[in-house]
Structure formats: structure tokens, C-alpha cells
Amino acid sequence: MTLSSRFHLFILCALLLSPLRAEKPEEAFETHTFQDGDFALNYRIYIPPDLKPGEKIPLVLFFHGAGERGDNNIRQLHHAIPGLFSFVKKNAIPAIIVAPQCPSGMQWVDVPWGGLSHTMPPKPSKPMHAAMALLQDCLKSLPVDDSRIYVCGISMGGFGTWDIVQREPETFAAALPVCGGGDTAEAPKLKELPIWTFHGDQDQTVKTSRSRDMIEAVKAGGGNPKYTEYPGVGHNSWTQTFANAEVLQWLFTQKKAPDKP
């Protein structure tokens, strides 16, 4: 069954069962696997059940951290997703949320996390390449407003967030990289992209300077990113970020300008 067919079936079932709709991400998100050549990428997807005919809605792509890698296709929903999902439900924001799961032993970006800097690899990692292909498949198959495509990620997924916007800056309307790092040489590409970055000042896993350096590099390239640094906070800077309604409201109000003819 194609993704488009699954979408229509999901909408029909959701409408019929609307009084019983689950509120927990692990129950509300469909379970799928995307095949990218010989590489299989597990992912979970939430599609609002009450869409109007012809309605186009935002899409959020979420990259999890290193601790959520595996093949169970559920662990990637443990952090950040509960806060994001709760926000869209509470505020009746129709949004598609896509959460791929990186296999064990692999990374969204094939670089060390503890270093002071890195150069963006010429090619994306296998999981990242598959995630990029999955995103394009969703854009073709689902009712996505292509002016409201968002990406966010935590820790290893923060690296993934920086990586994908550096490779495809024109795709996204906004990015929320949390305690990650990118290639400062690629930062000028991001001058038009709304970015809000978060990091704890006591992070011993991913150096706080990784976010500081990226923010300064984007500014030097002509951009105007936002940066929040949490005093006294270690590596977990995502819990309060995705529990903050102001942050998520900011995300969903961002809209990409129409492409110039």
C-alpha cells in the first residue's frame, strides 16, 4: 500500500473512531518503514484525523538523540515528542509529525559529538539520506503546506537538524536544533532561515560552544538566529524547550516566503 493510500485509510478510520482517539504519541503515531535503496529506515508518523478536503498543513520532521537509536520504532518518541504532540493537540494545530529512528551504531551525521568543531561530510549518512528521501516522499504523498516545513532535533538529532538545513536550506521554514552542532563554514547558507537554538551551559556531552559558534557564524553570514542558553543545565536541554509553549508557538508561526519566479 502506498503512503498516499495509507493516508486516506488512516483518515477514514480516524473519523470512524474519533471518540476513541488516543492521546499518547506511541498510540497516535502510525508505525512504518521507509525503504531507501537497500537501507530500511523505521519511522513513526502522526497525521491529524480531522483534516478538511484540500487543506494543506505544516509538517515537523524530528531527529531523536543517540539514546533512542534501535529497531523497535518506538524509542524515538520518548523525548521532546510528548511535549510537541501535547502542544499541537492542546492548541488544535493540524500538523503532520514525522519521527524516523536511526539504527543502533549509526548516526544522523557521521562526526564525533564531543569535538569543538566538524566539517560537514560531503555526503549525508545512510540514515540521514533515508530521512531526506522520506521527507520528500511525504511532501509528494501528503497534504503538506510547503511553506511550513519545520525540523527539530535533540543532541545527536541536534547535529542532524543542523546537517539537513545546511544541505537543504531552501526546504525549511524554521529549525530548532537543541544541544547539537553544525559546520560553521556552511552557516552563511542559513542567513534567511529562522533558527532558535538551545543549549545548557553545563553540558558535558556536547560542548556548549557548538551552539554558540553556530549562532555567531549564522549572524556573521547575515542571519538573525535566536539562542537560549540554560544556566546550570547539563545535556538535557530538550525537556524544558519542548515544554515551552512560547518556543513551539514561535515554530508554528514561521512561514517561508514564496519562491521567487
Side-chain angles (χ1 to χ4, degrees), residues 223-236:
N224 187 33
K226 295 164 67 72
Y227 178 51
T228 295
E229 188 170 299
Y230 298 119
V233 172
H235 190 49
N236 181 2

Side-chain angles (χ1 to χ4, degrees), residues 26-252:
E26 58 267 29
E27 297 170 336
F29 281 58
E30 288 190 55
T31 303
H32 294 295
T33 299
F34 180 78
Q35 199 68 37
D36 183 34
D38 61 356
F39 182 81
L41 181 73
N42 287 332
Y43 71 98
R44 300 293 290 264
I45 184 169
Y46 172 72
I47 303 171
D50 50 359
L51 294 179
K52 301 179 180 67
E55 183 179 12
K56 299 286 188 177
I57 61 174
L59 180 147
V60 182
L61 176 63
F62 173 73
F63 289 111
H64 65 76
E68 293 78 67
R69 289 176 291 182
D71 59 5
N72 64 357
N73 211 359
I74 190 171
R75 195 173 292 129
Q76 72 267 38
L77 303 180
H78 286 185
H79 299 301
I81 286 290
L84 176 61
F85 183 58
S86 174
F87 179 83
V88 300
K89 295 287 286 185
K90 180 179 180 180
N91 293 279
I93 297 174
I96 296 167
I97 305 174
V98 183
Q101 184 180 33
C102 184
S104 298
M106 305 186 82
Q107 301 177 197
W108 297 123
V109 189
D110 289 330
V111 297
W113 304 316
L116 291 172
S117 65
H118 76 261
T119 298
M120 186 176 74
K123 295 182 180 180
S125 70
K126 282 189 176 183
M128 177 57 73
H129 187 279
M132 293 166 69
L134 169 61
L135 175 60
Q136 292 306 313
D137 188 67
C138 289
L139 300 185
K140 293 175 184 177
S141 306
L142 299 176
V144 178
D145 179 352
D146 60 11
S147 71
R148 300 182 68 197
I149 302 170
Y150 310 119
V151 60
C152 50
I154 63 174
S155 190
M156 182 183 79
F159 282 84
T161 300
W162 284 115
D163 190 74
I164 198 171
V165 297
Q166 289 173 169
R167 296 182 190 278
E168 297 185 349
E170 70 287 345
T171 296
F172 299 97
L176 285 179
V178 180
C179 57
D183 182 350
T184 55
E186 302 289 331
K189 295 180 181 179
L190 308 177
K191 65 180 181 180
E192 303 294 336
L193 180 67
I195 300 170
W196 195 346
T197 305
F198 303 83
H199 219 121
D201 71 352
Q202 300 299 310
D203 195 331
Q204 303 300 310
T205 303
V206 178
K207 293 178 172 57
T208 310
S209 62
R210 297 306 308 269
S211 287
R212 294 173 183 166
D213 291 347
M214 283 303 298
I215 290 298
E216 291 307 312
V218 174
K219 288 180 177 179
N224 187 33
K226 295 164 67 72
Y227 178 51
T228 295
E229 188 170 299
Y230 298 119
V233 172
H235 190 49
N236 181 2
S237 49
W238 53 82
T239 296
Q240 58 185 306
T241 296
F242 285 88
N244 189 330
E246 179 185 353
V247 172
L248 298 178
Q249 188 65 44
W250 174 89
L251 180 69
F252 284 102

